Amino acid sequence: MHATHLLLEEPIRMASILEPSKSTFYSAMTRIVGTLGPKSRSVEVLSGCLNAGMSVARFDFSWGDAEYHQETLENLKVAVKSTKKLCAVMLDTVGPELQVVNKSESSISLKADGFVVLTPNQDTEANSEILPINFGGLAKAVTKGDTIFMGQYLFTGSETTSVWLEVSEVKGDDVVCIVKNTATLSGALFTLHVSQIHIDLPTLTEKDKEAISTWGVKNNIDFLSLSYTRHAEDVRQAREYLSKLGDLSQTQIFAKIENVEGLTHFDEILQEADGIILSRGNLGIDLPPEKVFLFQKAAVYKCNMAGKPAVVTRVVDSMTDNLRPTRAEATDVANAVLDGIDAILLGAETLRGLYPVETISIVGKICAEAEKVFNQDLYFKKTVKYVGEPMTHLESIASSAVRAAIKVKASIIIVFTSSGRAARLIAKYRPTMPVLSVVIPRLKTNQLRWSFTGAFEARQSLIVRGLFPMLADPRHPAESTSATNESVLKVALDHGKASGVIKSHDRVVVCQKVGDSSVVKIIELED
């Protein structure tokens, strides 16, 4: 992967652009989160998604019940076994999402310059003149002239099934709106988004808590995607809730930034969260379109420097119905990778899209091409400068391991870790080669039974760019004698050889703990 490393800032021979890319075991360093649903829940399709490069499966609880998602997850487990590809599980909360309820599911046509009333009375039948919504406080939150977006982009990925409204007047609990564009809405549920207005609903709703405490606990979820995170306190409250649910105290919380409120408090949210999801669907509605790129670049930079995963959504919407992305979408994916994102989250493209496997495959190929021209040298210097001096012990070891690997043109970095922290720190410096994170399980007890940690830590690295986990035999402690470390290293090297990442005479950088000391060593493989 590192051998063909070019820089966009240097002259590239145009003909070389057309040279076919070499396929590798790790299709791309950038990770892909796939949302599972109607078009991506059979064992066959899920196996295709895993082989194509999906490493995290997202279960969106804003639609579908727990039983439906459980069936999908059981199929995913079968696919994981058959493909031998590890996959993490993310539960996405509904949060304070406003929705129009269309019980009859009949099509609703709205004409430009016409009027429509939004009412909290859910007994009302939805039609082109009145639409029932799931929130009683809208009339108190909005004023004349406010913008309201309504549509199904969440489910279809298509903006053509969306409508813009302008608040004309407030009548009691009802909100009268002028329709700004002609559109036909169909289906049972439409999302409502009021631009730059605070909605007085809890970030973690009772419905969310129920999903987490039942489905989440039952399935030991790796990630919680906290929709509509607006303040650092939202993350703290969610963490406090998870801490009461046994094993879920280890679940990582990814704050989903979807509106101006989340943007305003971004720095504090980033400190509290384990990672950030830039939900560009809602952000693109809340922010003026010309400001979205600026927030994306600033937020990704801040995540990179903090060493926390940055995930971007809404990248190849057109692939919901088409086999190829648009030129703009392909360029957008590549630019996100060049900016330093860790993962791309596919929503409607895999949930309801006609080509879930092809979408994952194409996005992976675009990411891999962008990674080849990623300016690692500049990124490394920038990160080291940001960290400053004196560095912590771990930070110093991590940056040294990456620098050594690049200088000796190593094929891979192997890091031994029990918490996953050392591996994430190495990945933070964005080495040009894969980082094989060998997670050493630790024995723990709750006074009633003994169990091994490690599975959580291994799966949670599946959202970090360039990090590829491997769970070691629990009989090998992380800080053991050099003899047992050597035997674990041999297993890791054999895994690398079998997957085609390392071959004879390659150099490998190993980062491990021996006693109380952290050691970075370079080994050259023999025949």
mmCIF file with all atom_site columns, all heavy atoms in Angstrom, residues 373-384:
data_model
loop_
_atom_site.group_PDB
_atom_site.id
_atom_site.type_symbol
_atom_site.label_atom_id
_atom_site.label_alt_id
_atom_site.label_comp_id
_atom_site.label_asym_id
_atom_site.label_entity_id
_atom_site.label_seq_id
_atom_site.pdbx_PDB_ins_code
_atom_site.Cartn_x
_atom_site.Cartn_y
_atom_site.Cartn_z
_atom_site.occupancy
_atom_site.B_iso_or_equiv
_atom_site.pdbx_formal_charge
_atom_site.auth_seq_id
_atom_site.auth_comp_id
_atom_site.auth_asym_id
_atom_site.auth_atom_id
_atom_site.pdbx_PDB_model_num
ATOM 1   N N   . VAL A 1 373 ? -2.532 9.093  -2.203 1.00 0.00 ? 373 VAL A N   1
ATOM 2   C CA  . VAL A 1 373 ? -1.954 10.432 -2.393 1.00 0.00 ? 373 VAL A CA  1
ATOM 3   C C   . VAL A 1 373 ? -2.128 11.303 -1.138 1.00 0.00 ? 373 VAL A C   1
ATOM 4   O O   . VAL A 1 373 ? -1.943 12.507 -1.177 1.00 0.00 ? 373 VAL A O   1
ATOM 5   C CB  . VAL A 1 373 ? -2.563 11.147 -3.628 1.00 0.00 ? 373 VAL A CB  1
ATOM 6   C CG1 . VAL A 1 373 ? -2.129 10.459 -4.908 1.00 0.00 ? 373 VAL A CG1 1
ATOM 7   C CG2 . VAL A 1 373 ? -4.081 11.205 -3.556 1.00 0.00 ? 373 VAL A CG2 1
ATOM 8   N N   . PHE A 1 374 ? -2.487 10.671 -0.028 1.00 0.00 ? 374 PHE A N   1
ATOM 9   C CA  . PHE A 1 374 ? -2.639 11.388 1.244  1.00 0.00 ? 374 PHE A CA  1
ATOM 10  C C   . PHE A 1 374 ? -1.262 11.861 1.697  1.00 0.00 ? 374 PHE A C   1
ATOM 11  O O   . PHE A 1 374 ? -0.314 11.082 1.737  1.00 0.00 ? 374 PHE A O   1
ATOM 12  C CB  . PHE A 1 374 ? -3.255 10.437 2.281  1.00 0.00 ? 374 PHE A CB  1
ATOM 13  C CG  . PHE A 1 374 ? -3.456 11.044 3.636  1.00 0.00 ? 374 PHE A CG  1
ATOM 14  C CD1 . PHE A 1 374 ? -4.449 11.991 3.850  1.00 0.00 ? 374 PHE A CD1 1
ATOM 15  C CD2 . PHE A 1 374 ? -2.662 10.661 4.720  1.00 0.00 ? 374 PHE A CD2 1
ATOM 16  C CE1 . PHE A 1 374 ? -4.644 12.543 5.113  1.00 0.00 ? 374 PHE A CE1 1
ATOM 17  C CE2 . PHE A 1 374 ? -2.851 11.207 5.979  1.00 0.00 ? 374 PHE A CE2 1
ATOM 18  C CZ  . PHE A 1 374 ? -3.851 12.150 6.175  1.00 0.00 ? 374 PHE A CZ  1
ATOM 19  N N   . ASN A 1 375 ? -1.152 13.133 2.032  1.00 0.00 ? 375 ASN A N   1
ATOM 20  C CA  . ASN A 1 375 ? 0.154  13.690 2.416  1.00 0.00 ? 375 ASN A CA  1
ATOM 21  C C   . ASN A 1 375 ? 0.457  13.354 3.882  1.00 0.00 ? 375 ASN A C   1
ATOM 22  O O   . ASN A 1 375 ? 0.253  14.166 4.786  1.00 0.00 ? 375 ASN A O   1
ATOM 23  C CB  . ASN A 1 375 ? 0.156  15.210 2.193  1.00 0.00 ? 375 ASN A CB  1
ATOM 24  C CG  . ASN A 1 375 ? 1.569  15.792 2.248  1.00 0.00 ? 375 ASN A CG  1
ATOM 25  O OD1 . ASN A 1 375 ? 2.456  15.251 2.898  1.00 0.00 ? 375 ASN A OD1 1
ATOM 26  N ND2 . ASN A 1 375 ? 1.770  16.898 1.557  1.00 0.00 ? 375 ASN A ND2 1
ATOM 27  N N   . GLN A 1 376 ? 0.968  12.144 4.079  1.00 0.00 ? 376 GLN A N   1
ATOM 28  C CA  . GLN A 1 376 ? 1.215  11.650 5.440  1.00 0.00 ? 376 GLN A CA  1
ATOM 29  C C   . GLN A 1 376 ? 2.296  12.464 6.139  1.00 0.00 ? 376 GLN A C   1
ATOM 30  O O   . GLN A 1 376 ? 2.203  12.741 7.329  1.00 0.00 ? 376 GLN A O   1
ATOM 31  C CB  . GLN A 1 376 ? 1.604  10.166 5.397  1.00 0.00 ? 376 GLN A CB  1
ATOM 32  C CG  . GLN A 1 376 ? 1.441  9.438  6.720  1.00 0.00 ? 376 GLN A CG  1
ATOM 33  C CD  . GLN A 1 376 ? 2.596  9.682  7.680  1.00 0.00 ? 376 GLN A CD  1
ATOM 34  O OE1 . GLN A 1 376 ? 3.713  9.978  7.263  1.00 0.00 ? 376 GLN A OE1 1
ATOM 35  N NE2 . GLN A 1 376 ? 2.331  9.561  8.967  1.00 0.00 ? 376 GLN A NE2 1
ATOM 36  N N   . ASP A 1 377 ? 3.314  12.879 5.380  1.00 0.00 ? 377 ASP A N   1
ATOM 37  C CA  . ASP A 1 377 ? 4.438  13.614 5.952  1.00 0.00 ? 377 ASP A CA  1
ATOM 38  C C   . ASP A 1 377 ? 3.955  14.919 6.585  1.00 0.00 ? 377 ASP A C   1
ATOM 39  O O   . ASP A 1 377 ? 4.286  15.241 7.726  1.00 0.00 ? 377 ASP A O   1
ATOM 40  C CB  . ASP A 1 377 ? 5.478  13.895 4.859  1.00 0.00 ? 377 ASP A CB  1
ATOM 41  C CG  . ASP A 1 377 ? 6.749  14.502 5.440  1.00 0.00 ? 377 ASP A CG  1
ATOM 42  O OD1 . ASP A 1 377 ? 7.242  13.960 6.440  1.00 0.00 ? 377 ASP A OD1 1
ATOM 43  O OD2 . ASP A 1 377 ? 7.218  15.526 4.910  1.00 0.00 ? 377 ASP A OD2 1
ATOM 44  N N   . LEU A 1 378 ? 3.134  15.636 5.838  1.00 0.00 ? 378 LEU A N   1
ATOM 45  C CA  . LEU A 1 378 ? 2.586  16.903 6.326  1.00 0.00 ? 378 LEU A CA  1
ATOM 46  C C   . LEU A 1 378 ? 1.672  16.650 7.529  1.00 0.00 ? 378 LEU A C   1
ATOM 47  O O   . LEU A 1 378 ? 1.725  17.360 8.532  1.00 0.00 ? 378 LEU A O   1
ATOM 48  C CB  . LEU A 1 378 ? 1.801  17.592 5.202  1.00 0.00 ? 378 LEU A CB  1
ATOM 49  C CG  . LEU A 1 378 ? 1.200  18.963 5.519  1.00 0.00 ? 378 LEU A CG  1
ATOM 50  C CD1 . LEU A 1 378 ? 2.303  19.999 5.701  1.00 0.00 ? 378 LEU A CD1 1
ATOM 51  C CD2 . LEU A 1 378 ? 0.254  19.412 4.407  1.00 0.00 ? 378 LEU A CD2 1
ATOM 52  N N   . TYR A 1 379 ? 0.841  15.605 7.421  1.00 0.00 ? 379 TYR A N   1
ATOM 53  C CA  . TYR A 1 379 ? -0.097 15.263 8.492  1.00 0.00 ? 379 TYR A CA  1
ATOM 54  C C   . TYR A 1 379 ? 0.666  14.920 9.779  1.00 0.00 ? 379 TYR A C   1
ATOM 55  O O   . TYR A 1 379 ? 0.297  15.365 10.864 1.00 0.00 ? 379 TYR A O   1
ATOM 56  C CB  . TYR A 1 379 ? -0.974 14.080 8.058  1.00 0.00 ? 379 TYR A CB  1
ATOM 57  C CG  . TYR A 1 379 ? -2.016 13.696 9.087  1.00 0.00 ? 379 TYR A CG  1
ATOM 58  C CD1 . TYR A 1 379 ? -3.299 14.219 9.030  1.00 0.00 ? 379 TYR A CD1 1
ATOM 59  C CD2 . TYR A 1 379 ? -1.704 12.817 10.124 1.00 0.00 ? 379 TYR A CD2 1
ATOM 60  C CE1 . TYR A 1 379 ? -4.243 13.884 9.988  1.00 0.00 ? 379 TYR A CE1 1
ATOM 61  C CE2 . TYR A 1 379 ? -2.638 12.474 11.081 1.00 0.00 ? 379 TYR A CE2 1
ATOM 62  C CZ  . TYR A 1 379 ? -3.911 13.013 11.005 1.00 0.00 ? 379 TYR A CZ  1
ATOM 63  O OH  . TYR A 1 379 ? -4.841 12.685 11.959 1.00 0.00 ? 379 TYR A OH  1
ATOM 64  N N   . PHE A 1 380 ? 1.735  14.121 9.635  1.00 0.00 ? 380 PHE A N   1
ATOM 65  C CA  . PHE A 1 380 ? 2.542  13.695 10.782 1.00 0.00 ? 380 PHE A CA  1
ATOM 66  C C   . PHE A 1 380 ? 3.130  14.912 11.502 1.00 0.00 ? 380 PHE A C   1
ATOM 67  O O   . PHE A 1 380 ? 3.024  15.040 12.721 1.00 0.00 ? 380 PHE A O   1
ATOM 68  C CB  . PHE A 1 380 ? 3.653  12.754 10.309 1.00 0.00 ? 380 PHE A CB  1
ATOM 69  C CG  . PHE A 1 380 ? 4.448  12.140 11.435 1.00 0.00 ? 380 PHE A CG  1
ATOM 70  C CD1 . PHE A 1 380 ? 4.065  10.942 12.000 1.00 0.00 ? 380 PHE A CD1 1
ATOM 71  C CD2 . PHE A 1 380 ? 5.585  12.767 11.933 1.00 0.00 ? 380 PHE A CD2 1
ATOM 72  C CE1 . PHE A 1 380 ? 4.795  10.371 13.045 1.00 0.00 ? 380 PHE A CE1 1
ATOM 73  C CE2 . PHE A 1 380 ? 6.314  12.215 12.974 1.00 0.00 ? 380 PHE A CE2 1
ATOM 74  C CZ  . PHE A 1 380 ? 5.914  11.010 13.527 1.00 0.00 ? 380 PHE A CZ  1
ATOM 75  N N   . LYS A 1 381 ? 3.728  15.811 10.718 1.00 0.00 ? 381 LYS A N   1
ATOM 76  C CA  . LYS A 1 381 ? 4.357  17.006 11.308 1.00 0.00 ? 381 LYS A CA  1
ATOM 77  C C   . LYS A 1 381 ? 3.315  17.867 12.039 1.00 0.00 ? 381 LYS A C   1
ATOM 78  O O   . LYS A 1 381 ? 3.566  18.386 13.118 1.00 0.00 ? 381 LYS A O   1
ATOM 79  C CB  . LYS A 1 381 ? 5.037  17.832 10.208 1.00 0.00 ? 381 LYS A CB  1
ATOM 80  C CG  . LYS A 1 381 ? 6.347  17.210 9.715  1.00 0.00 ? 381 LYS A CG  1
ATOM 81  C CD  . LYS A 1 381 ? 6.895  17.966 8.526  1.00 0.00 ? 381 LYS A CD  1
ATOM 82  C CE  . LYS A 1 381 ? 8.169  17.298 8.012  1.00 0.00 ? 381 LYS A CE  1
ATOM 83  N NZ  . LYS A 1 381 ? 8.542  17.793 6.668  1.00 0.00 ? 381 LYS A NZ  1
ATOM 84  N N   . LYS A 1 382 ? 2.153  17.992 11.413 1.00 0.00 ? 382 LYS A N   1
ATOM 85  C CA  . LYS A 1 382 ? 1.071  18.798 11.973 1.00 0.00 ? 382 LYS A CA  1
ATOM 86  C C   . LYS A 1 382 ? 0.600  18.213 13.316 1.00 0.00 ? 382 LYS A C   1
ATOM 87  O O   . LYS A 1 382 ? 0.390  18.932 14.289 1.00 0.00 ? 382 LYS A O   1
ATOM 88  C CB  . LYS A 1 382 ? -0.079 18.788 10.949 1.00 0.00 ? 382 LYS A CB  1
ATOM 89  C CG  . LYS A 1 382 ? -1.170 19.793 11.156 1.00 0.00 ? 382 LYS A CG  1
ATOM 90  C CD  . LYS A 1 382 ? -2.065 19.896 9.918  1.00 0.00 ? 382 LYS A CD  1
ATOM 91  C CE  . LYS A 1 382 ? -2.789 18.621 9.591  1.00 0.00 ? 382 LYS A CE  1
ATOM 92  N NZ  . LYS A 1 382 ? -3.728 18.770 8.459  1.00 0.00 ? 382 LYS A NZ  1
ATOM 93  N N   . THR A 1 383 ? 0.476  16.872 13.346 1.00 0.00 ? 383 THR A N   1
ATOM 94  C CA  . THR A 1 383 ? -0.005 16.197 14.561 1.00 0.00 ? 383 THR A CA  1
ATOM 95  C C   . THR A 1 383 ? 1.020  16.309 15.688 1.00 0.00 ? 383 THR A C   1
ATOM 96  O O   . THR A 1 383 ? 0.664  16.597 16.835 1.00 0.00 ? 383 THR A O   1
ATOM 97  C CB  . THR A 1 383 ? -0.319 14.710 14.267 1.00 0.00 ? 383 THR A CB  1
ATOM 98  O OG1 . THR A 1 383 ? -1.131 14.643 13.096 1.00 0.00 ? 383 THR A OG1 1
ATOM 99  C CG2 . THR A 1 383 ? -1.071 14.057 15.406 1.00 0.00 ? 383 THR A CG2 1
ATOM 100 N N   . VAL A 1 384 ? 2.291  16.090 15.356 1.00 0.00 ? 384 VAL A N   1
ATOM 101 C CA  . VAL A 1 384 ? 3.360  16.195 16.366 1.00 0.00 ? 384 VAL A CA  1
ATOM 102 C C   . VAL A 1 384 ? 3.409  17.611 16.939 1.00 0.00 ? 384 VAL A C   1
ATOM 103 O O   . VAL A 1 384 ? 3.521  17.813 18.156 1.00 0.00 ? 384 VAL A O   1
ATOM 104 C CB  . VAL A 1 384 ? 4.729  15.800 15.756 1.00 0.00 ? 384 VAL A CB  1
ATOM 105 C CG1 . VAL A 1 384 ? 5.877  16.185 16.693 1.00 0.00 ? 384 VAL A CG1 1
ATOM 106 C CG2 . VAL A 1 384 ? 4.773  14.297 15.485 1.00 0.00 ? 384 VAL A CG2 1
#
